Amino acid sequence: MKRLLIILVAVLFLSGAILGGLYVFMPGVLGLGAPKPVEAAPPPVVEAAPVKPTLLKMVTIDVPLVMDGALNRQIHFNVTLVVAPESLAAAQEAQPRLRNSIIQFAYDAFPRQYAEHGKMDLPRLKASLEQIVHRFLGADAVKDVLLQSYFEM
């Protein structure tokens, strides 16, 4: 009985070793077929890096709001222009005249705005600034006019 058990264990180990060897080294003999090569994923499509906008920051514009001969409040706002890269030099050159035009507009329009509405209409202010900037530099040169900050004292 012991001999039969030893022979049976030896046959099991030997058959396991043979099947393991066939599985690893010759899978075709077992009907498994050759392992298929793993297909590499196509390389990711590299998109062009987005072009950073060219920003031209203007100096803070300070406008006193004089109503009925008295100083009512002081208005401070910052304007930043999003400029086409090829128009940056022209925008920098025109910046002092542009700033002066914005200040002239503010001295004329702000008292009327406060007399009519009692507060500043920021979307209307932005639209007016865009008109001034486009008149100076052209609509193609300036992509956007940003009001970076606005406060009253």
Side-chain angles (χ1 to χ4, degrees), residues 95-106 132 135-136:
Q95 188 175 8
R97 291 179 290 126
L98 179 61
R99 184 175 189 279
N100 186 42
S101 181
I102 291 172
I103 290 172
Q104 285 178 348
F105 159 76
I132 294 169
R135 188 173 53 232
F136 262 84

Side-chain angles (χ1 to χ4, degrees), residues 65-93:
L65 182 62
V66 179
M67 295 179 68
D68 298 327
L71 180 64
N72 190 331
R73 60 184 58 153
Q74 184 78 16
I75 299 172
H76 307 276
F77 60 98
N78 287 330
V79 177
T80 300
L81 306 177
V82 180
V83 181
E86 61 273 2
S87 303
L88 181 62
Q92 287 173 334
E93 184 178 320

Side-chain angles (χ1 to χ4, degrees), residues 88-146:
L88 181 62
Q92 287 173 334
E93 184 178 320
Q95 188 175 8
R97 291 179 290 126
L98 179 61
R99 184 175 189 279
N100 186 42
S101 181
I102 291 172
I103 290 172
Q104 285 178 348
F105 159 76
Y107 271 93
D108 292 340
F110 286 6
R112 279 186 275 129
Q113 174 71 26
Y114 276 91
E116 292 173 9
H117 302 288
K119 63 179 183 172
M120 180 57 67
D121 182 10
L122 291 180
R124 184 174 172 188
L125 174 61
K126 180 179 176 173
S128 299
L129 293 175
E130 286 175 346
Q131 288 177 353
I132 294 169
V133 169
H134 288 170
R135 188 173 53 232
F136 262 84
L137 301 172
D140 295 337
V142 178
K143 297 178 181 178
D144 198 6
V145 177
L146 307 174

